[in-house]
Amino acid sequence: MGDEDWDSELTAGPSFSFTPSFPKLETEKAFNYNESSNKGGEDEFPKSDGPSRRGFGADRGFGFKRGNRSDGEGSNFFGRGGFKGRNEDSGSENAKGDNNGPQRSGFSRRGGFRDGNVEEEFGEKSAGRGFSHSEDTFGQRRGRGAAVRGTRGGFGRRDENNDESHSSFGSRGGFGNQTSYEGRERGGGLRGRGGYKGRNEDVGSDSGQVKNNYPFKSDEDGENGDKPARMTYVPPPPPETEDGIFAHYQTGINFDKYDDILTDVSGINPPPAILTFEEANLPETLNKNISKAGYAKLTPVQKHSIPIVLAKRDLMACAQTGSGKTAAFLLPILAHMMQDGVAPHSLDLQEPEAIIVAPTRELINQIFLDARKFAYGTCIKPVVVYGGTQTFHSLRQIYQGCNILCATPGRLLDIIRREKIGLAKLRYLVLDEADRMLDMGFGPDMKILITSPGMPSKEERQTLMFSATFPERIQSLAKEFLKSDYLFVVVGQVGGACSDVEQIIIPVGQHGKKDKLVEILQGLGTERTMVFVKTKKKADYLTTLLCQENVLATSIHGDRLQKEREEALADFRFGKCNVLVATNVAARGLDIENVQHVIIFDLSDNIEEYVHRIGRTGRCGNVGKAITFFDSDDNEDRTVARSLVKVLSDAQQEVPVWLEEIAFSASGTFSSIGSTFASVDSRRGVSHIPGGHAQSHIPGGHAHSAFAADDDDASWD
Ligand SMILES: Nc1ncnc2c1ncn2[C@@H]1O[C@H](COP(=O)(O)OP(=O)(O)OP(=O)(O)O)[C@@H](O)[C@H]1O
């Protein structure tokens, strides 16, 4: 199959309820959404956007390479010649618009919240609370942004104003994380900065309300500085029942083995680690919630981080994926708030005591649900706000009381800019996936955040940073945010992969990837699998292909409407689809039960993202398997070979001989991993790793951004 034209593969196949569709961009002109008008938008990526914006245009990236056809696991990587030399046309007009109808058929529709109602209701309710009715102008700003988004999402264009936003989630009880809302917006001015694009969080803004001249534009400023688009999506409410709130999955057989991982704490006078929850002396209600959440034993990052946060120290913590970093910051923050008390709910300005930021909407919502779970039965109110949702909705959540504000950066800055929250009482600033938050994509936003009017200085607040990866260059940037005596907790090795994930690298040329994927997935049956690809369009394309091959697949990426992304995630989480094809938007933080496999269809040239991607499986002591396709003809794959060898060997995984050969023949091409693994704490200087496969410090190595330039979904929130 790999040799055929992708167009022809996308002729009408079996019609699954989740088969994506590729609607024709009939509104494209009407909205003047062309390359020249999209400055700052993600489609400026030259590689990711070919001659057409309508799907997979001819000669576009996927399958466009000449390459060794090498499509068998265990095949002799170098022995297979067979340059096909043909340009695969990964684009397909046929792929568009064929399957519009049935994919949503499975969802029950629940009434309730319609955006218009929300706005009216909010307008009225907010009258006495400092909201001006002029914000109802949101109600009039329709269409453009949503329509543009719709045309570009692979799964059918959908007007966000259809407002049946509760249809899928409301009917799903159970696991507390099901309400992950995702969306995608574009058009912000700041996002036009070099090399990084498209993150463009949709931050609703009424220009008439702007009080500060922040150097960023909200999405609703419109793409040409004209009438802004608006977000009308109102996400479904989180679960209300105790069962729903405390739903969790079981720790795995290797949970106890976490204790064997070496932990290092650097910095002056760290408080001693605790060994049990009892030693933390947490408030009774919090302890009850912890046990209802199924936590009986601390993970290493929790053992060290909880006392550090309780001791009011700043912290940078690095621990492997799925090892409980979220609770490591939430529990001590909540404990402090419960012990010290929080300000009574004010009808005027809300002044949260804690702000937590994360790079994606799904992740921040997941963190919010955890915060809500641990704060259950207390007076502490966590709130979540993120782009892609109606700004009124965000504001209304805040005005109902907000002690812990969980937010994506764009929406947070917009709300601060509009003076809808005050920062005077802020005591905790948490950056989850901190290396991502400080990298060039979000770094400028984070700087704006810490220099926002009213933001307590780093001496006055506690700043906490968590991630599974912390490249040295990011550690340096982080110092600007942290007190000089911050502590650095490292569980295992900085940037190391989770050892519960079996990592398999197989040599596959571009032309063989599709066949190999189908073969693997068909062999896996209904086992839950995430497939990571480089581009949004490829995600949709592969999803269509998989559905045609009778694999129940859905996709999540930055071009899908938020509602669709929520549905996709829920369908995956609750078993309606067992395969989720994703861009890096789903690489970090997502905690989905029972993901048994990760398949990396396209390697990113950034090893950190590899570590996060494979970390979607093998969580919380459970085991998982990650299969990575490696194309030896692909320069990016070759670039990351050394780092990959290092990650594999550090995690005691088998390193294929052919990969080692590539790694060491790839002179002059290094990924950022060289510095990532060089040290524990950059304040200690570079520590060389004796006998390591990769040098700890690679002279002349490039300092990469967290994202490859041709990863067209490098921007997520
Ligand atoms: N002490 C514990 N006991 C039992 N389960 C736990 C414990 N700590 C965390 N968990 C569970 O483990 C899972 C992974 O936790 P979490 O999402 O916080 O990991 P993480 O380290 O933040 O991962 P990532 O690096 O991917 O963001 C969650 O389902 C969480 O509820």
Short mmCIF file of all heavy atoms in Angstrom, two decimals, residues 136-191:
data_model
loop_
_atom_site.label_atom_id
_atom_site.label_comp_id
_atom_site.label_asym_id
_atom_site.label_seq_id
_atom_site.Cartn_x
_atom_site.Cartn_y
_atom_site.Cartn_z
N ASP A 136 -21.26 42.12 26.13
CA ASP A 136 -22.18 41.35 25.31
C ASP A 136 -21.92 41.54 23.83
O ASP A 136 -22.49 40.85 23.01
CB ASP A 136 -23.63 41.74 25.62
CG ASP A 136 -24.07 41.09 26.92
OD1 ASP A 136 -23.41 40.13 27.34
OD2 ASP A 136 -25.05 41.54 27.49
N THR A 137 -21.08 42.50 23.53
CA THR A 137 -20.74 42.63 22.12
C THR A 137 -20.12 41.35 21.59
O THR A 137 -20.13 41.10 20.41
CB THR A 137 -19.71 43.76 21.90
OG1 THR A 137 -18.62 43.53 22.77
CG2 THR A 137 -20.33 45.10 22.11
N PHE A 138 -19.65 40.53 22.49
CA PHE A 138 -19.17 39.22 22.03
C PHE A 138 -20.29 38.50 21.28
O PHE A 138 -20.06 37.74 20.38
CB PHE A 138 -18.77 38.36 23.22
CG PHE A 138 -17.38 38.62 23.65
CD1 PHE A 138 -17.10 39.39 24.77
CD2 PHE A 138 -16.34 38.11 22.91
CE1 PHE A 138 -15.82 39.62 25.15
CE2 PHE A 138 -15.03 38.34 23.30
CZ PHE A 138 -14.77 39.11 24.42
N GLY A 139 -21.45 38.74 21.77
CA GLY A 139 -22.58 38.05 21.18
C GLY A 139 -22.80 38.41 19.73
O GLY A 139 -23.38 37.64 18.98
N GLN A 140 -22.35 39.56 19.34
CA GLN A 140 -22.57 39.94 17.96
C GLN A 140 -21.42 39.54 17.04
O GLN A 140 -21.55 39.57 15.84
CB GLN A 140 -22.75 41.46 17.86
CG GLN A 140 -24.19 41.88 18.05
CD GLN A 140 -24.47 42.11 19.51
OE1 GLN A 140 -23.85 42.97 20.08
NE2 GLN A 140 -25.36 41.34 20.10
N ARG A 141 -20.32 39.23 17.63
CA ARG A 141 -19.19 38.95 16.76
C ARG A 141 -19.18 37.49 16.38
O ARG A 141 -18.77 36.64 17.13
CB ARG A 141 -17.90 39.34 17.48
CG ARG A 141 -17.72 40.80 17.47
CD ARG A 141 -16.41 41.15 18.04
NE ARG A 141 -16.54 41.53 19.42
CZ ARG A 141 -15.84 41.01 20.38
NH1 ARG A 141 -14.98 40.07 20.14
NH2 ARG A 141 -16.00 41.40 21.60
N ARG A 142 -19.67 37.25 15.28
CA ARG A 142 -19.86 35.85 14.92
C ARG A 142 -18.97 35.45 13.77
O ARG A 142 -18.55 36.23 12.95
CB ARG A 142 -21.30 35.63 14.49
CG ARG A 142 -22.25 35.82 15.61
CD ARG A 142 -23.42 34.91 15.49
NE ARG A 142 -24.03 34.80 16.78
CZ ARG A 142 -23.90 33.78 17.57
NH1 ARG A 142 -23.20 32.75 17.18
NH2 ARG A 142 -24.46 33.75 18.73
N GLY A 143 -18.77 34.19 13.76
CA GLY A 143 -18.53 33.59 12.47
C GLY A 143 -17.11 33.45 11.99
O GLY A 143 -16.64 32.35 11.86
N ARG A 144 -16.47 34.50 11.82
CA ARG A 144 -15.29 34.40 10.99
C ARG A 144 -14.27 33.41 11.53
O ARG A 144 -13.88 32.49 10.85
CB ARG A 144 -14.65 35.77 10.86
CG ARG A 144 -13.34 35.66 10.15
CD ARG A 144 -12.71 36.99 9.97
NE ARG A 144 -11.39 36.75 9.49
CZ ARG A 144 -10.64 37.68 8.97
NH1 ARG A 144 -11.09 38.89 8.85
NH2 ARG A 144 -9.45 37.40 8.56
N GLY A 145 -13.89 33.63 12.74
CA GLY A 145 -12.85 32.77 13.29
C GLY A 145 -13.29 31.32 13.30
O GLY A 145 -12.58 30.42 12.89
N ALA A 146 -14.51 31.12 13.72
CA ALA A 146 -14.98 29.75 13.82
C ALA A 146 -15.03 29.12 12.45
O ALA A 146 -14.64 27.98 12.26
CB ALA A 146 -16.36 29.74 14.46
N ALA A 147 -15.51 29.89 11.50
CA ALA A 147 -15.62 29.32 10.17
C ALA A 147 -14.26 28.98 9.60
O ALA A 147 -14.06 27.93 9.03
CB ALA A 147 -16.34 30.30 9.26
N VAL A 148 -13.34 29.86 9.85
CA VAL A 148 -12.00 29.59 9.33
C VAL A 148 -11.44 28.35 9.98
O VAL A 148 -10.93 27.47 9.33
CB VAL A 148 -11.08 30.80 9.61
CG1 VAL A 148 -9.63 30.43 9.33
CG2 VAL A 148 -11.51 31.96 8.74
N ARG A 149 -11.63 28.26 11.25
CA ARG A 149 -11.13 27.08 11.93
C ARG A 149 -11.77 25.83 11.35
O ARG A 149 -11.15 24.84 11.12
CB ARG A 149 -11.45 27.14 13.42
CG ARG A 149 -10.37 27.75 14.21
CD ARG A 149 -10.72 27.66 15.66
NE ARG A 149 -11.91 28.44 15.96
CZ ARG A 149 -11.89 29.74 16.06
NH1 ARG A 149 -10.79 30.41 15.91
NH2 ARG A 149 -12.99 30.39 16.34
N GLY A 150 -13.05 25.96 11.14
CA GLY A 150 -13.76 24.79 10.69
C GLY A 150 -13.24 24.29 9.36
O GLY A 150 -13.11 23.10 9.16
N THR A 151 -12.91 25.20 8.53
CA THR A 151 -12.46 24.76 7.23
C THR A 151 -11.15 24.02 7.32
O THR A 151 -10.82 23.25 6.46
CB THR A 151 -12.26 25.96 6.29
OG1 THR A 151 -11.30 26.81 6.87
CG2 THR A 151 -13.55 26.68 6.04
N ARG A 152 -10.43 24.27 8.35
CA ARG A 152 -9.10 23.70 8.38
C ARG A 152 -9.02 22.45 9.22
O ARG A 152 -8.08 21.72 9.19
CB ARG A 152 -8.12 24.76 8.85
CG ARG A 152 -8.18 25.96 7.96
CD ARG A 152 -7.30 27.05 8.44
NE ARG A 152 -5.94 26.59 8.50
CZ ARG A 152 -5.25 26.56 9.60
NH1 ARG A 152 -5.77 26.93 10.72
NH2 ARG A 152 -4.02 26.14 9.58
N GLY A 153 -10.00 22.23 10.04
CA GLY A 153 -9.98 21.00 10.81
C GLY A 153 -10.32 19.85 9.88
O GLY A 153 -11.09 19.98 8.95
N GLY A 154 -9.74 18.75 10.13
CA GLY A 154 -9.97 17.66 9.21
C GLY A 154 -11.33 17.02 9.37
O GLY A 154 -11.81 16.37 8.47
N PHE A 155 -11.96 17.21 10.50
CA PHE A 155 -13.10 16.38 10.77
C PHE A 155 -14.42 17.08 10.54
O PHE A 155 -15.32 17.03 11.33
CB PHE A 155 -13.05 15.91 12.22
CG PHE A 155 -12.17 14.73 12.38
CD1 PHE A 155 -10.91 14.71 11.80
CD2 PHE A 155 -12.59 13.63 13.08
CE1 PHE A 155 -10.10 13.63 11.95
CE2 PHE A 155 -11.77 12.54 13.23
CZ PHE A 155 -10.52 12.54 12.67
N GLY A 156 -14.51 17.73 9.48
CA GLY A 156 -15.79 18.34 9.18
C GLY A 156 -15.87 19.71 9.76
O GLY A 156 -15.49 19.95 10.89
N ARG A 157 -16.33 20.60 9.00
CA ARG A 157 -16.43 21.95 9.48
C ARG A 157 -17.65 22.09 10.35
O ARG A 157 -18.72 21.59 10.08
CB ARG A 157 -16.53 22.91 8.31
CG ARG A 157 -16.45 24.34 8.73
CD ARG A 157 -16.01 25.15 7.56
NE ARG A 157 -17.03 25.19 6.54
CZ ARG A 157 -18.04 26.04 6.56
NH1 ARG A 157 -18.15 26.88 7.54
NH2 ARG A 157 -18.92 26.02 5.60
N ARG A 158 -17.49 22.78 11.36
CA ARG A 158 -18.53 22.87 12.35
C ARG A 158 -18.53 24.27 12.90
O ARG A 158 -17.50 24.81 13.25
CB ARG A 158 -18.18 21.91 13.49
CG ARG A 158 -19.33 21.29 14.15
CD ARG A 158 -18.80 20.09 14.88
NE ARG A 158 -18.48 19.06 13.92
CZ ARG A 158 -19.33 18.12 13.58
NH1 ARG A 158 -20.50 18.08 14.14
NH2 ARG A 158 -19.00 17.21 12.71
N ASP A 159 -19.64 24.80 12.97
CA ASP A 159 -19.73 26.13 13.53
C ASP A 159 -19.75 26.01 15.05
O ASP A 159 -20.55 25.30 15.62
CB ASP A 159 -21.03 26.78 13.05
CG ASP A 159 -21.13 28.21 13.50
OD1 ASP A 159 -20.38 28.62 14.39
OD2 ASP A 159 -21.96 28.91 12.95
N GLU A 160 -18.84 26.70 15.66
CA GLU A 160 -18.80 26.60 17.12
C GLU A 160 -20.06 27.16 17.74
O GLU A 160 -20.33 26.96 18.90
CB GLU A 160 -17.58 27.34 17.66
CG GLU A 160 -16.32 26.62 17.29
CD GLU A 160 -15.20 26.97 18.20
OE1 GLU A 160 -15.44 27.28 19.36
OE2 GLU A 160 -14.07 26.93 17.73
N ASN A 161 -20.80 27.88 16.93
CA ASN A 161 -22.00 28.45 17.50
C ASN A 161 -23.14 27.45 17.58
O ASN A 161 -24.24 27.79 17.96
CB ASN A 161 -22.47 29.64 16.65
CG ASN A 161 -21.45 30.75 16.72
OD1 ASN A 161 -20.82 30.93 17.76
ND2 ASN A 161 -21.29 31.47 15.65
N ASN A 162 -22.88 26.24 17.17
CA ASN A 162 -23.98 25.29 17.25
C ASN A 162 -24.30 24.92 18.69
O ASN A 162 -25.35 24.42 18.99
CB ASN A 162 -23.71 24.05 16.40
CG ASN A 162 -22.54 23.26 16.92
OD1 ASN A 162 -22.01 23.56 17.99
ND2 ASN A 162 -22.11 22.28 16.17
N ASP A 163 -23.34 25.16 19.55
CA ASP A 163 -23.65 25.21 20.97
C ASP A 163 -24.25 23.97 21.57
O ASP A 163 -24.94 24.03 22.56
CB ASP A 163 -24.61 26.37 21.27
CG ASP A 163 -23.94 27.68 21.01
OD1 ASP A 163 -22.71 27.69 20.99
OD2 ASP A 163 -24.64 28.67 20.81
N GLU A 164 -24.02 22.88 20.97
CA GLU A 164 -24.48 21.68 21.65
C GLU A 164 -23.30 21.10 22.39
O GLU A 164 -23.00 19.92 22.35
CB GLU A 164 -25.06 20.71 20.64
CG GLU A 164 -26.30 21.31 20.02
CD GLU A 164 -26.98 20.33 19.11
OE1 GLU A 164 -27.58 19.39 19.63
OE2 GLU A 164 -26.89 20.51 17.91
N SER A 165 -22.69 21.98 23.06
CA SER A 165 -21.40 21.63 23.61
C SER A 165 -21.46 20.63 24.74
O SER A 165 -20.47 20.10 25.15
CB SER A 165 -20.71 22.90 24.10
OG SER A 165 -21.60 23.64 24.88
N HIS A 166 -22.60 20.36 25.21
CA HIS A 166 -22.67 19.40 26.30
C HIS A 166 -23.05 18.03 25.82
O HIS A 166 -23.23 17.13 26.59
CB HIS A 166 -23.70 19.86 27.33
CG HIS A 166 -23.27 21.11 28.01
ND1 HIS A 166 -23.08 21.18 29.35
CD2 HIS A 166 -22.95 22.32 27.51
CE1 HIS A 166 -22.68 22.40 29.68
NE2 HIS A 166 -22.59 23.10 28.57
N SER A 167 -23.16 17.93 24.55
CA SER A 167 -23.74 16.71 24.03
C SER A 167 -22.95 15.46 24.37
O SER A 167 -23.51 14.47 24.75
CB SER A 167 -23.90 16.82 22.53
OG SER A 167 -22.65 17.05 21.95
N SER A 168 -21.68 15.52 24.24
CA SER A 168 -20.96 14.28 24.42
C SER A 168 -20.50 14.07 25.84
O SER A 168 -20.53 12.97 26.34
CB SER A 168 -19.74 14.26 23.50
OG SER A 168 -18.89 15.31 23.84
N PHE A 169 -20.15 15.10 26.49
CA PHE A 169 -19.53 14.90 27.78
C PHE A 169 -20.54 14.66 28.88
O PHE A 169 -20.30 13.91 29.79
CB PHE A 169 -18.67 16.11 28.15
CG PHE A 169 -17.41 16.10 27.39
CD1 PHE A 169 -17.36 16.63 26.13
CD2 PHE A 169 -16.32 15.48 27.92
CE1 PHE A 169 -16.20 16.58 25.43
CE2 PHE A 169 -15.15 15.43 27.21
CZ PHE A 169 -15.10 15.98 25.96
N GLY A 170 -21.64 15.34 28.75
CA GLY A 170 -22.61 15.23 29.81
C GLY A 170 -23.06 13.80 30.02
O GLY A 170 -23.38 13.39 31.12
N SER A 171 -23.05 13.05 28.98
CA SER A 171 -23.56 11.70 29.10
C SER A 171 -22.51 10.74 29.63
O SER A 171 -22.77 9.60 29.90
CB SER A 171 -24.04 11.21 27.74
OG SER A 171 -22.96 11.28 26.84
N ARG A 172 -21.33 11.22 29.78
CA ARG A 172 -20.27 10.32 30.23
C ARG A 172 -19.98 10.56 31.68
O ARG A 172 -19.52 11.61 32.07
CB ARG A 172 -19.00 10.59 29.44
CG ARG A 172 -19.11 10.16 28.05
CD ARG A 172 -17.75 10.30 27.42
NE ARG A 172 -17.78 9.80 26.10
CZ ARG A 172 -18.19 10.52 25.08
NH1 ARG A 172 -18.59 11.73 25.25
NH2 ARG A 172 -18.22 9.99 23.88
N GLY A 173 -20.21 9.57 32.44
CA GLY A 173 -19.85 9.73 33.84
C GLY A 173 -18.46 9.21 34.04
O GLY A 173 -17.66 9.17 33.13
N GLY A 174 -18.18 8.82 35.22
CA GLY A 174 -16.95 8.08 35.43
C GLY A 174 -15.72 8.93 35.55
O GLY A 174 -15.75 10.01 36.12
N PHE A 175 -14.71 8.45 35.00
CA PHE A 175 -13.37 8.97 35.25
C PHE A 175 -13.33 10.48 35.17
O PHE A 175 -13.80 11.10 34.23
CB PHE A 175 -12.41 8.36 34.23
CG PHE A 175 -11.00 8.51 34.64
CD1 PHE A 175 -10.51 7.78 35.69
CD2 PHE A 175 -10.18 9.40 33.99
CE1 PHE A 175 -9.20 7.92 36.09
CE2 PHE A 175 -8.87 9.56 34.38
CZ PHE A 175 -8.38 8.80 35.43
N GLY A 176 -12.73 11.01 36.17
CA GLY A 176 -12.80 12.45 36.35
C GLY A 176 -12.15 13.28 35.28
O GLY A 176 -12.38 14.47 35.20
N ASN A 177 -11.37 12.66 34.48
CA ASN A 177 -10.64 13.46 33.52
C ASN A 177 -11.35 13.60 32.19
O ASN A 177 -10.79 14.08 31.24
CB ASN A 177 -9.27 12.83 33.26
CG ASN A 177 -8.37 13.06 34.43
OD1 ASN A 177 -8.61 13.94 35.24
ND2 ASN A 177 -7.34 12.26 34.54
N GLN A 178 -12.56 13.15 32.15
CA GLN A 178 -13.14 13.09 30.83
C GLN A 178 -13.42 14.45 30.24
O GLN A 178 -13.58 14.58 29.05
CB GLN A 178 -14.44 12.27 30.82
CG GLN A 178 -15.65 12.97 31.36
CD GLN A 178 -15.84 12.69 32.83
OE1 GLN A 178 -14.87 12.59 33.56
NE2 GLN A 178 -17.05 12.56 33.27
N THR A 179 -13.48 15.44 31.04
CA THR A 179 -13.83 16.73 30.48
C THR A 179 -12.58 17.50 30.09
O THR A 179 -12.23 18.50 30.66
CB THR A 179 -14.65 17.54 31.49
OG1 THR A 179 -14.08 17.33 32.76
CG2 THR A 179 -16.07 17.12 31.47
N SER A 180 -11.90 16.97 29.18
CA SER A 180 -10.75 17.69 28.65
C SER A 180 -11.19 18.46 27.43
O SER A 180 -11.67 17.89 26.47
CB SER A 180 -9.65 16.71 28.27
OG SER A 180 -9.06 16.22 29.41
N TYR A 181 -11.02 19.69 27.48
CA TYR A 181 -11.53 20.50 26.40
C TYR A 181 -10.36 20.96 25.57
O TYR A 181 -9.38 21.43 26.07
CB TYR A 181 -12.24 21.72 26.96
CG TYR A 181 -13.05 21.43 28.17
CD1 TYR A 181 -12.87 22.18 29.32
CD2 TYR A 181 -13.93 20.38 28.18
CE1 TYR A 181 -13.61 21.90 30.44
CE2 TYR A 181 -14.66 20.10 29.31
CZ TYR A 181 -14.49 20.87 30.45
OH TYR A 181 -15.20 20.59 31.56
N GLU A 182 -10.54 20.84 24.34
CA GLU A 182 -9.43 21.24 23.49
C GLU A 182 -9.97 22.14 22.40
O GLU A 182 -11.10 22.09 22.00
CB GLU A 182 -8.77 20.00 22.89
CG GLU A 182 -7.56 20.29 22.10
CD GLU A 182 -6.58 21.09 22.90
OE1 GLU A 182 -6.33 20.79 24.07
OE2 GLU A 182 -6.05 22.06 22.34
N GLY A 183 -9.16 22.91 21.93
CA GLY A 183 -9.56 23.79 20.87
C GLY A 183 -8.34 24.42 20.26
O GLY A 183 -7.23 24.13 20.60
N ARG A 184 -8.61 25.31 19.39
CA ARG A 184 -7.49 25.84 18.66
C ARG A 184 -7.88 27.18 18.09
O ARG A 184 -8.92 27.33 17.51
CB ARG A 184 -7.21 24.86 17.52
CG ARG A 184 -6.11 25.31 16.67
CD ARG A 184 -4.85 25.00 17.36
NE ARG A 184 -3.78 25.27 16.45
CZ ARG A 184 -2.57 25.50 16.89
NH1 ARG A 184 -2.32 25.48 18.16
NH2 ARG A 184 -1.63 25.74 16.04
N GLU A 185 -7.05 28.10 18.28
CA GLU A 185 -7.35 29.38 17.72
C GLU A 185 -6.10 29.97 17.12
O GLU A 185 -5.01 29.50 17.34
CB GLU A 185 -7.88 30.33 18.79
CG GLU A 185 -9.03 29.76 19.56
CD GLU A 185 -8.54 28.84 20.62
OE1 GLU A 185 -7.39 28.97 21.03
OE2 GLU A 185 -9.31 27.98 21.02
N ARG A 186 -6.32 31.00 16.44
CA ARG A 186 -5.17 31.57 15.78
C ARG A 186 -5.38 33.05 15.54
O ARG A 186 -6.43 33.59 15.75
CB ARG A 186 -4.95 30.87 14.45
CG ARG A 186 -6.14 30.86 13.57
CD ARG A 186 -5.99 29.83 12.51
NE ARG A 186 -5.70 28.55 13.06
CZ ARG A 186 -6.65 27.73 13.51
NH1 ARG A 186 -7.90 28.09 13.49
NH2 ARG A 186 -6.34 26.58 14.00
N GLY A 187 -4.31 33.63 15.10
CA GLY A 187 -4.45 35.01 14.67
C GLY A 187 -3.83 36.03 15.59
O GLY A 187 -3.83 37.20 15.30
N GLY A 188 -3.30 35.64 16.72
CA GLY A 188 -2.77 36.63 17.64
C GLY A 188 -1.50 37.28 17.12
O GLY A 188 -0.71 36.68 16.42
N GLY A 189 -1.34 38.50 17.50
CA GLY A 189 -0.21 39.24 16.99
C GLY A 189 1.12 38.75 17.52
O GLY A 189 2.06 38.54 16.79
N LEU A 190 1.19 38.51 18.81
CA LEU A 190 2.46 38.11 19.41
C LEU A 190 2.96 36.82 18.77
O LEU A 190 4.13 36.58 18.66
CB LEU A 190 2.25 37.86 20.90
CG LEU A 190 3.47 37.43 21.68
CD1 LEU A 190 4.50 38.55 21.70
CD2 LEU A 190 3.11 37.03 23.09
N ARG A 191 2.02 36.03 18.36
CA ARG A 191 2.40 34.72 17.86
C ARG A 191 3.08 34.78 16.52
O ARG A 191 3.52 33.80 15.99
CB ARG A 191 1.16 33.83 17.78
CG ARG A 191 0.76 33.30 19.12
CD ARG A 191 0.14 34.35 19.96
NE ARG A 191 -0.12 33.87 21.30
CZ ARG A 191 -0.68 34.60 22.23
NH1 ARG A 191 -1.02 35.84 21.98
NH2 ARG A 191 -0.88 34.11 23.41
#
